[in-house]
């Protein structure tokens, strides 16, 4: 028997135990249907290449697709199909609206007993080999058959598809201009089946440079531009833990040569916190989207609104339309990749200029092209002043409030959010209160919030460590709503 056949046979037997976490929450009665069952525009493509990874190719091409349109490659998760991703992810909606083709690769139980892409197998996820090579052949087919623009090819994936996405970005930075990893793994986190489950529950504690080295080693000698990467993660994901999102952020910010401190953070629908890491020119190179309370899956938001998409199903969770924000980040909506072009920059110099017991006054620098500004208190928009100053009224004495500001253009589109500032109203001299609990309990109780898999104390924004039930801290609240870490002792006077 040929070695390749033996390898695939071994993968079918061993992968059920190793990768069971990736399908742990799927009902045992769920049937996996072939992608050919999709209605309408999803079509199977054969003869796209030598196909060393034994994958199937499905594609959606909108009517009237122009030449040199972008191309998106969308990878399903374990136990899923191309049809499931086509039906539920929302990509066809924006392909129609913005004009691009979508390729949906599909693996099967012939490759892996759970139909997982082989993100953990060097024979499948490295340059020129296996499934990775098959996916790149699909890209070449799309360029030749649909006229897709080779400079604007993007890849996205969920769970095991997210792990393969990261591997493809590392192995083929000359093919993919951007990627989006949803509930996935850092590139080359695991290089064997035995190491796969360990990555899911907690990747190695590597430095950003060490994570970046894994990308640089995937295509030695590459000197071209790196892909722009979006990272989506639910804070309550216990299949692929939030620590993976932190590792992905460290990995790709290091590859870009930028720090791990975001240039801006803001709050999006669905209890989502977006953190933006800019390149040297000030354009977003890496963005993380932390969805508070969401489990393992792709965030969707069913509806007919401009920023809504998808349908809920197994591993498609109602929170926010991640497809919309990913497409905007890549520039598929007609803007510049990385969120530039038609998006106004973040206002600089946001400052608290004064407080009283019931008010907080703010000021910031003007943004060229802004018709007005959006003022956000604790993540909710509260005002749209045309001036660069604003006084918030009706507040509670002795309480901390978090503010960001966005510039809004003449069409009503908001740009990138400013850095966050905290204003604490005067008065309200209530005694300090102390709370000892796990990081998870602090977030649940509203004393802390999450970003990128980490927990931060409300008010002080002190980093409390990973979002889980294993890390415990004591928080001191004074004044109301303002928390600081007080592990060494907490007095209530």
């Amino acid at each position: 028997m040929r070695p390749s056949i033996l390898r695939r046979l071994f993968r079918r037997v061993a992968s059920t135990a190793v990768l069971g976490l990736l399908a742990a929450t799927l009902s045992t009665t769920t049937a996996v249907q072939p992608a050919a069952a999709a209605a309408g525009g999803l079509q199977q493509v054969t003869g796209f290449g030598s196909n060393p990874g034994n994958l199937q190719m499905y594609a959606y091409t909108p009517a009237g697709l122009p030449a040199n349109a972008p191309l998106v490659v969308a990878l399903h998760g374990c136990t899923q199909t191309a049809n499931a991703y086509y039906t539920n992810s929302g990509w066809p909606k924006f392909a129609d609206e913005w004009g691009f083709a979508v390729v949906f690769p599909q693996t099967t139980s012939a490759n892996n007993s759970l139909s997982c892409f082989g993100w953990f197998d060097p024979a499948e996820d490295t340059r020129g080999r296996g499934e990775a090579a098959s996916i790149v052949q699909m890209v070449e087919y799309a360029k030749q058959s649909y006229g897709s623009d080779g400079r604007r090819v993007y890849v996205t994936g969920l769970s095991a598809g997210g792990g393969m996405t990261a591997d493809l970005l590392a192995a083929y930075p000359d093919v993919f201009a951007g990627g989006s990893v949803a509930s996935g793994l850092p590139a080359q986190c695991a290089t064997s089946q035995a190491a796969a489950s360990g990555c899911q529950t907690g990747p190695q504690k590597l430095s950003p440079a060490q994570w970046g080295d894994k990308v640089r080693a995937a295509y030695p000698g590459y000197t071209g531009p790196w892909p722009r990467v979006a990272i989506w993660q639910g804070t309550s994901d216990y299949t692929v833990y939030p620590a993976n999102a932190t590792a992905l952020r460290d990995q790709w910010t290091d590859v870009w040569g930028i720090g791990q401190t975001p240039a801006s953070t803001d709050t999006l629908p669905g209890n989502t916190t977006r953190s933006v890491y800019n390149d040297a020119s000030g354009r977003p190179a890496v963005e993380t989207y932390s969805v508070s309370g969401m489990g393992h899956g792709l965030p969707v938001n069913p509806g007919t609104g401009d920023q809504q998409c998808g349908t809920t199903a197994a591993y498609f969770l109602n929170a926010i339309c991640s497809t919309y924000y990913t497409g905007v980040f890549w520039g598929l909506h007609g803007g510049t990749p990385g969120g530039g072009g038609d998006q106004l920059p973040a206002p600089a110099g946001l400052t608290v200029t004064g407080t009283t017991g019931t008010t907080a006054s703010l000021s910031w620098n003007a943004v060229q092209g802004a018709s007005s500004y959006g003022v956000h208190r604790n993540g909710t928009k509260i005002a749209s002043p045309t001036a660069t100053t604003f006084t918030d009224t009706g507040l509670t004495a002795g309480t901390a409030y978090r503010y960001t500001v966005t510039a809004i253009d003449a069409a009503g589109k908001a740009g990138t959010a400013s850095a966050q500032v905290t204003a604490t109203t005067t008065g309200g001299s209530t005694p300090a209160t102390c709370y000892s609990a796990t990081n998870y309990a602090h977030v649940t109780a509203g004393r802390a919030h999450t970003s990128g898999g980490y927990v931060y104390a409300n008010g002080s924004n002190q980093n409390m460590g990973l979002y889980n039930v294993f890390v415990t801290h004591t928080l001191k609240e004074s004044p109301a709503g303002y928390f600081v870490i007080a592990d060494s002792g907490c007095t209530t006077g």
Side-chain angles (χ1 to χ4, degrees):
M1 186 176 293
R2 289 183 298 172
S4 60
I5 297 176
L6 285 171
R7 172 172 55 79
R8 293 192 183 280
L9 179 62
F10 174 77
R11 289 175 62 199
R12 293 187 63 186
V13 173
S15 61
T16 300
V18 175
L19 296 177
L21 284 172
L22 288 176
T25 58
L26 188 68
S27 167
T28 56
T29 62
T30 299
V32 176
Q33 299 297 327
L42 186 65
Q43 301 294 328
Q44 184 170 8
V45 177
T46 58
F48 59 86
S50 60
N51 193 16
N54 191 35
L55 299 182
Q56 297 171 1
M57 177 181 176
Y58 294 84
Y60 176 69
T61 54
L65 182 69
N68 296 314
L71 174 69
V72 172
V73 177
L75 304 174
H76 64 76
C78 293
T79 74
Q80 293 182 327
T81 61
N83 180 32
Y85 225 70
Y86 168 83
T87 301
N88 301 306
S89 66
W91 280 110
K93 170 182 176 176
F94 296 106
D96 288 338
E97 291 184 4
W98 295 339
F100 57 86
V102 189
V103 166
F104 295 89
Q106 179 172 285
T107 189
T108 67
S109 58
N111 282 7
N112 178 280
S113 62
L114 295 176
S115 296
C116 304
F117 288 101
W119 60 271
F120 52 87
D121 187 349
E124 302 294 346
D125 67 356
T126 53
R127 188 175 178 90
R129 304 186 68 184
E131 293 175 352
S134 289
I135 293 168
V136 172
Q137 287 181 354
M138 296 179 197
V139 171
E140 290 302 314
Y141 178 93
K143 289 162 61 177
Q144 295 297 321
S145 299
Y146 313 141
S148 299
D149 185 353
R151 300 165 300 174
R152 293 187 294 165
V153 180
Y154 306 90
V155 60
T156 181
L158 166 65
S159 192
M164 180 61 83
T165 292
D167 289 337
L168 285 166
L169 295 173
Y172 292 98
D174 53 333
V175 173
F176 299 102
S180 180
V181 181
S183 298
L185 302 303
Q188 297 302 316
C189 183
T191 55
S192 70
Q193 293 182 359
S197 60
C199 281
Q200 292 165 218
T201 56
Q204 302 174 64
K205 298 185 183 302
L206 302 181
S207 68
Q210 289 172 317
W211 280 118
D213 285 344
K214 289 180 176 289
V215 171
R216 288 181 283 269
Y219 186 15
Y222 176 72
T223 59
W226 292 105
R228 299 181 185 273
V229 183
I231 301 159
W232 291 86
Q233 180 71 47
T235 62
S236 297
D237 188 341
Y238 303 115
T239 301
V240 175
Y241 279 39
N244 285 282
T246 303
L248 276 159
R249 178 207 63 184
D250 290 352
Q251 183 171 66
W252 290 99
T253 52
D254 180 78
V255 167
W256 273 88
I258 54 182
Q260 285 73 55
T261 300
S264 65
T265 60
D266 62 336
T267 302
L268 301 177
N271 296 316
T272 303
T273 299
R274 173 173 57 186
S275 299
V276 180
Y277 303 82
N278 289 339
D279 63 16
S281 67
R283 290 168 54 198
V286 178
E287 291 189 351
T288 63
Y289 299 79
S290 177
V291 186
S292 181
M294 191 184 78
H296 186 64
L298 182 75
V300 297
N301 185 18
T304 58
D306 291 344
Q307 299 180 15
Q308 291 183 289
C309 72
T311 55
T312 55
Y315 300 126
F316 295 94
L317 307 179
N318 190 0
I320 181 175
C321 175
S322 57
T323 299
Y324 169 81
Y325 287 95
T326 294
V328 170
F329 172 60
W330 289 340
L332 297 179
H333 64 315
T336 300
D342 59 356
Q343 185 179 46
L344 294 176
L350 178 61
T351 304
V352 179
T353 57
T355 59
T356 69
T358 59
T359 67
S361 297
L362 308 169
S363 70
W364 55 90
N365 298 339
V367 174
Q368 185 175 2
S371 295
S372 62
Y373 299 89
V375 179
H376 300 254
R377 181 211 305 139
N378 296 341
T380 300
K381 185 178 178 181
I382 59 170
S384 301
T386 56
T388 57
T389 59
F390 176 74
T391 298
D392 193 13
T393 60
L395 305 179
T396 302
T399 303
Y401 296 93
R402 304 187 305 276
Y403 293 92
T404 58
V405 176
T406 58
I408 301 174
D409 64 20
K413 180 178 179 180
T416 303
S418 69
Q420 179 178 278
V421 297
T422 300
T424 302
T425 52
T426 59
S429 57
T430 55
T433 304
C434 302
Y435 305 88
S436 294
T438 66
N439 278 356
Y440 176 83
H442 281 307
V443 172
T444 301
R447 296 185 288 268
H449 58 281
T450 63
S451 178
Y454 284 87
V455 174
Y456 298 86
N458 287 345
S460 68
N461 280 323
Q462 289 177 303
N463 190 332
M464 299 166 58
L466 289 173
Y467 179 59
N468 58 37
V469 297
F470 306 112
V471 179
T472 298
H473 284 295
T474 297
L475 293 181
K476 178 178 179 178
E477 182 182 18
S478 181
Y482 191 94
F483 297 88
V484 296
I485 298 174
D487 293 337
S488 59
C490 187
T491 59
T492 58

